[in-house]
Amino acid sequence: MKLAGLSLEPGERLSGSELRSRFDRGMTGRGIEICYDDDDQRYLRLFSSDTGPYGDDVTGGQFTYIGEGRTGDQTLTGGNKFLARAKHHPLPIFFFHRGSAGADWEYQGQVEVVDYAHGPFEGDDRDVYRFVLRRRHERRERIDEEEAAADLAPAERTETTRSRIIRNTALATELKERYSHTCQVCGERRRRGVHDGYAEAHHLKPLGRPHDGPDVEANLLVLCPDHHADFDYGMIAVDPETYTIAHAYERELDGTSLSVREDHGLDADFLDYHNRTVASF
């Protein structure tokens, strides 16, 4: 799936299997899911339910969404970290809500992060993250109405320079093919069709700031969507010398070995960077 070709309209209701079909990935059960499309473009899926633990009020063009983490104080890790970063580094965020009587998820459009704060949760003795979200189409409608007013003065214009990371998609594609789209962690080979495999490329030292990692084969792993998310959440660490995997909660993987081909020049320094900077257990 490529985001540019995604067909999804606000108001649509989708079952879990339909969500998998549209996005080429199933649900993880998390409220905040870190996802990637076929071009390795990161995006988020947010899920809120009337029967959930926080009772998010998602009415209106702007609303508050409670972060993830049901026990203890919520921390700025995993999905909370990526949602917080979206305040200054926007990315596509797809919002889904399920009512108390429904089994399907209603797509309510894309949202953007206006602000966030950390503080006590009502009726509990722990701190949570509150994210102020705004529906993108609501903001667009207000802007259109204002710009259509006849008495508006001509807007001042200024030239700006915008920088973005140019990924070497050919490099990632070639490495995925070398591994036959098989996850280096679990050995699973996902499919997007009868004959076509599906895997995702992960940069151990992330490309964006403040990491500024390189887009080179030595910094790349080929992973299934679930273990790609686990690397992003910091739930996996890999010994740079022995390739032994440490997993925060998946016991059947804890102590197994990362699969690395002889022709894959994986650099131990990038594994060490991930362990020190990203892994959070």
Side-chain angles (χ1 to χ4, degrees), residues 9 19 39 103 116 134 149 152 171 197-198 205 220 244:
E9 294 293 331
L19 276 167
D39 291 328
Y116 64 93
R134 178 168 54 204
L152 275 181
L171 174 68
Y198 175 75
K205 185 175 184 179
L220 282 173
T244 300

Side-chain angles (χ1 to χ4, degrees), residues 7 13 15 58 60 66 68 105 117 144 147 158 182 188 190 197 215 233 253 262-263:
S7 176
R13 295 184 178 274
S15 64
V58 300
I66 305 297
E68 63 180 13
W105 295 92
D144 289 344
E147 290 182 347
T158 182
T182 300
E188 179 182 351
R190 298 282 295 274
D215 192 11
Y233 280 116
L253 286 178
E262 290 185 0
D263 59 0

Side-chain angles (χ1 to χ4, degrees), residues 161-180:
T161 300
R162 181 181 179 184
S163 63
R164 67 185 181 93
I165 297 169
I166 305 298
R167 294 174 181 262
N168 186 347
T169 57
L171 174 68
T173 298
E174 194 277 332
L175 190 62
K176 292 175 191 177
E177 291 175 351
R178 215 184 305 165
Y179 278 95
S180 299

Side-chain angles (χ1 to χ4, degrees), residues 106-117:
E106 180 187 3
Y107 174 56
Q108 296 194 352
Q110 290 194 40
V111 297
E112 57 190 358
V113 180
V114 178
D115 205 353
Y116 64 93

Side-chain angles (χ1 to χ4, degrees), residues 207-228:
L207 301 186
R209 295 176 180 174
H211 308 283
D212 295 323
D215 192 11
V216 295
E217 179 181 304
N219 190 31
L220 282 173
L221 292 180
V222 175
L223 303 170
C224 67
D226 287 347
H227 291 124
H228 192 174

